[in-house]
């Protein structure tokens, strides 16, 4: 069987149209479910059968709460205080104190979509019936999401073990009617005001529920799912940018031939090369120098090897998606209520599986951006651009053209290389050495978000630059797909001419990349 006929089961696709509602039950949420709630405010409904299981599990916790023997997380303190027995009359205070003390974040507010994702994923964990939380607590989380109340969560506070304690505690605090939140309009109000305005009674936490609400990898997992959605769009956009550069720099598409790609059966590479073939099909520019009169032997690596680099990034994303899919199917808490009714301590909250792939994606993002910046630079160098004016300037010597746009791309790539340094190899012990090895997965996720933003900007600069080069190749005409992207760019950035204020044009093209408009203009069928 040829590679082209091999079915792909691991391809990462953009979220596309989102559902208007998402059912949360004992089963795993899909990537699309998370995106729908986090980014598109889909309503959340709870599966009634799963709620019954949540109630059944809660009876186990209630029975242990009445026992005179101590049980961790139910009638004891937490972490290094796990051996301290807490009497019945102090346990409500114990649960509230746990949440209040752990809501110790600092720094800027985390993005709304991240908070919604982590709240949804914690709700999903509650609905597995393995945490021992009450049905009413799960129902309150769903109500807060549906009311578009967003707890204020801060940049710093999580070590990724036991999960994302501080971010999740800030969410739980609002569910208790405390802390700070933003309402649907984005206004900063108290947690109490937010719940009252929505008609949601605050939760008074019962035994075990404090732990159930803060022991999870939901923040780093939510950011991983969001990142994979972004990467699905950005990696296709990278192929589009590369195709425009190959064409405008009078390169060749011969190296993207299917039979050459099949000699190295890497799945992502095949996808990328297929995209490049489709994007460049029918190009008048490529046809203009495709005969024996073409004296060039081989294009530079940044042109010729685009499928290899973009494909490796795709395969990295596919691996990350496998890890994320397993995590979505997980029931993470400590202690956890097993199917046969035991309440057992465990280490499933450790974020290493997520931290590793989050770091891996930052490496891939930096490398794809680095290759894009090198292609941008080729457009501007008269010694390598095959006849284009220096810096694509209108009047050489008077105009600087796109010289400093390349500086911007280079500065971003330098930053992305620093962000590619892994967070997950670091560990700072905490909790009196009880938590003596932590994952730093939250930090890996935070820097990946910055990395993907940078990648989008670097690709936008390449697309803007290649669009000007295509214009300067007239009367030769580009392929239909690349020409359509160039025409789209012209709606926010003017064509060749005297120097002008460039920053708004860069931001305009960036907006087209971020919205997916560039991908749609080229072809909705790219993978």
């Amino acid at each position: 069987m040829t590679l082209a006929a091999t079915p792909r089961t691991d391809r990462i696709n953009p979220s596309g149209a989102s559902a208007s509602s998402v059912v949360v039950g004992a089963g795993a949420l899909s990537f699309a479910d998370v995106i729908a709630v986090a980014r598109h405010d889909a309503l959340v409904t709870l599966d009634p059968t799963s709620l019954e299981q949540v109630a059944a599990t809660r009876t186990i916790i209630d029975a242990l709460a009445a026992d005179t023997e101590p049980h961790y997380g139910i009638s004891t303190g937490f972490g290094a205080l796990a051996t301290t027995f807490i009497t019945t009359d102090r346990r409500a205070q114990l649960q509230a104190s746990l949440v209040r003390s752990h809501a110790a974040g600092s720094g800027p507010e985390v993005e709304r979509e991240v908070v919604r994702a982590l709240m949804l994923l914690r709700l999903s964990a509650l609905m597995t019936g393995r945490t021992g939380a009450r049905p009413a607590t799960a129902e309150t989380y769903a109500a807060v999401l549906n009311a578009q109340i967003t707890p204020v969560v801060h940049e710093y506070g999580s070590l990724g073990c036991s999960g994302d304690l501080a971010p999740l505690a800030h969410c739980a605090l609002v569910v208790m009617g405390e802390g700070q939140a933003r309402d649907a309009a984005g206004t900063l109000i108290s947690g109490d005001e937010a719940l009252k305005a929505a008609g949601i009674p605050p939760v008074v936490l019962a035994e075990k529920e404090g732990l159930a609400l803060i022991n999870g990898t939901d923040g780093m997992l939510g950011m991983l799912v969001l990142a994979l959605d972004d990467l699905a769009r950005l990696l296709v956009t990278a192929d589009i940018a590369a195709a425009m550069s190959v064409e405008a720099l009078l390169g060749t598409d011969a190296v993207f031939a299917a039979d050459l790609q099949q000699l190295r059966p890497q799945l992502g590479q095949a996808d990328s090369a297929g995209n490049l073939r489709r994007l460049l099909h029918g190009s008048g520019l490529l046809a203009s120098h495709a005969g024996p009169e073409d004296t060039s032997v081989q294009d530079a690596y940044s042109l010729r090897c685009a499928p290899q680099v973009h494909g490796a990034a795709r395969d990295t994303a596919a691996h990350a998606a496998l890890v994320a899919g397993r995590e979505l199917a997980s029931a993470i808490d400590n202690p956890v209520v097993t199917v046969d009714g035991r309440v057992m301590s465990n280490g499933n909250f450790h974020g290493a599986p997520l931290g590793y792939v989050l770091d891996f994606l930052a490496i891939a993002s930096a490398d794809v951006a680095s290759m894009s910046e090198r292609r941008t630079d080729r457009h501007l160098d008269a010694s390598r651009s095959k006849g284009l004016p220096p810096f694509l300037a209108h009047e050489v010597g008077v105009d600087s053209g796109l010289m400093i746009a390349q500086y911007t791309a280079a500065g971003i790539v330098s930053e992305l290389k620093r962000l590619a340094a892994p967070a997950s190899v670091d560990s700072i012990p905490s909790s009196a050495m009880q938590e003596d090895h932590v994952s730093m997965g939250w930090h890996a996720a935070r820097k990946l978000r910055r990395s993907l933003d940078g990648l989008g900007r670097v690709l936008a600069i390449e697309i803007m630059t290649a669009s000007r080069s295509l214009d300067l190749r007239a009367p030769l005409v580009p392929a239909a797909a690349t020409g359509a992207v160039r025409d789209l760019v012209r709606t926010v950035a003017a064509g060749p001419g005297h120097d002008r204020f460039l920053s708004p044009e860069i931001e305009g093209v960036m907006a087209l990349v971020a919205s997916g408009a560039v991908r749609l203009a080229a072809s909705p069928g790219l993978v």
Side-chain angles (χ1 to χ4, degrees):
M1 180 181 290
T2 65
L3 180 64
T6 303
R8 291 296 306 275
T9 59
D10 60 347
R11 181 178 289 137
I12 310 305
N13 290 313
S15 57
S18 296
S20 59
S21 66
V22 169
V23 178
V24 182
L29 293 171
S30 68
F31 287 19
D33 291 336
V34 177
I35 298 300
V37 174
R39 289 186 161 161
H40 305 295
D41 295 334
L43 293 176
V44 171
T45 58
L46 302 182
D47 173 57
T49 301
S50 298
L51 266 181
E52 292 175 2
Q53 181 57 51
V54 170
T57 303
R58 180 64 202 182
T59 63
I60 298 172
I61 300 299
D62 289 338
L64 292 175
D67 193 353
T68 55
E69 292 296 318
H71 298 277
Y72 175 66
I74 300 170
S75 53
T76 71
F78 310 110
L81 304 177
T83 59
T84 303
F85 181 78
I86 308 298
T87 58
T88 304
D89 60 326
R90 304 301 302 279
R91 290 177 192 167
Q93 181 182 345
L94 170 68
Q95 300 300 319
S97 294
L98 174 71
V99 172
R100 290 167 185 151
S101 65
H102 283 58
S106 182
E109 290 183 39
V110 169
E111 303 84 1
R112 180 178 186 271
E113 67 177 14
V114 172
V115 178
R116 288 183 61 81
L118 74 89
M119 285 197 73
L120 174 69
L121 293 170
R122 185 59 350 208
L123 173 59
S124 179
L126 300 182
M127 289 296 290
T128 63
R130 306 274 64 84
T131 72
R134 296 168 299 162
T137 303
E139 290 168 340
T140 302
Y141 264 67
V144 168
L145 283 166
N146 289 339
Q148 297 185 34
I149 296 168
T150 306
V152 171
V153 173
H154 298 279
E155 180 83 17
Y156 304 108
S158 175
L159 299 180
C161 188
S162 302
D164 295 315
L165 291 172
L168 285 165
H170 279 276
C171 295
L173 199 63
V174 170
V175 172
M176 292 163 52
E178 302 180 25
Q180 289 185 308
R182 293 194 180 272
D183 62 16
T187 304
L188 182 65
I189 55 178
S190 71
D192 181 54
E193 290 175 294
L195 295 187
K196 284 180 179 177
I200 301 171
V203 170
V204 178
L205 300 180
E207 291 92 345
K208 176 67 175 63
E209 289 193 307
L211 284 175
L213 297 184
I214 67 173
N215 251 304
T217 57
D218 309 292
M220 59 188 101
L221 174 59
M223 285 187 276
L224 175 56
V225 173
L226 293 168
L228 289 169
D229 187 55
D230 291 334
L231 266 173
R233 168 178 41 81
L234 289 171
L235 292 177
V236 171
T237 304
D239 290 339
I240 294 167
M244 295 175 75
S245 289
V246 168
E247 196 173 29
L249 292 169
L250 303 183
T252 177
D253 63 347
V255 294
F256 308 136
D259 61 338
L260 294 178
Q261 303 302 315
Q262 289 169 6
L263 295 175
R264 190 191 201 187
Q266 298 288 356
L267 300 181
Q269 178 179 323
D271 282 347
S272 179
N275 282 346
L276 286 162
R277 290 194 301 272
R278 286 188 285 276
L279 288 161
L280 293 169
H281 178 71
S283 169
L285 270 162
L286 293 187
S288 71
H289 62 94
E293 67 278 6
D294 185 10
T295 58
S296 61
V297 179
Q298 296 183 118
D299 290 333
Y301 285 9
S302 61
L303 303 174
R304 192 187 348 155
C305 301
Q308 286 74 17
V309 172
H310 298 179
R314 279 177 164 80
D315 291 339
T316 301
H319 170 63
L322 289 175
V323 174
R326 296 181 190 125
E327 199 77 357
L328 286 170
S330 301
I332 294 178
D333 192 12
N334 182 49
V336 68
V337 185
T338 65
V339 176
D340 61 1
R342 292 172 296 131
V343 178
M344 298 294 296
S345 291
N346 65 90
N348 286 336
F349 49 72
H350 198 286
L354 300 175
Y356 291 170
V357 295
L358 288 160
D359 280 334
F360 201 174
L361 290 176
I363 292 171
S365 175
D367 199 39
V368 172
S370 177
M371 178 176 257
S372 171
E373 183 276 329
R374 288 294 80 203
R375 291 191 296 261
T376 295
D377 187 64
R378 297 189 75 82
H379 288 273
L380 307 180
D381 184 351
S383 68
R384 294 179 291 150
S385 66
K386 298 183 180 179
L388 293 171
F391 305 108
L392 306 183
H394 181 71
E395 187 177 348
V396 177
V398 173
D399 293 317
S400 294
L402 299 184
M403 178 194 296
I404 309 303
Q406 183 267 331
Y407 283 34
T408 300
I412 294 171
V413 168
S414 182
E415 172 73 5
L416 298 193
K417 291 176 181 178
R418 291 191 292 272
L419 291 170
S424 57
V425 298
D426 188 27
S427 178
I428 297 179
S430 58
S431 193
M433 292 300 287
Q434 177 73 2
E435 299 173 8
D436 58 353
H437 183 275
V438 297
S439 76
M440 304 304 291
W442 172 272
H443 291 266
R446 295 306 297 163
K447 68 184 183 66
L448 176 59
R449 286 181 67 82
R450 183 170 176 83
S451 179
L452 294 180
D453 177 76
L455 171 58
R457 295 178 187 282
V458 171
L459 293 174
I461 290 171
E462 181 185 0
I463 289 169
M464 183 181 76
T465 303
S467 294
R468 183 178 288 203
S469 293
L470 289 175
D471 283 339
L472 291 170
R473 294 294 187 190
L476 297 175
V477 295
T482 53
V485 174
R486 186 270 316 274
D487 293 344
L488 176 67
V489 168
R490 289 290 159 258
T491 66
V492 297
H498 284 295
D499 284 355
R500 54 187 179 264
F501 186 19
L502 274 183
S503 180
E505 297 191 358
I506 294 171
E507 294 304 304
V509 181
M510 172 60 182
L512 297 176
V513 168
S515 69
V518 166
R519 175 197 169 109
L520 290 175
S523 170
L526 299 175
V527 297

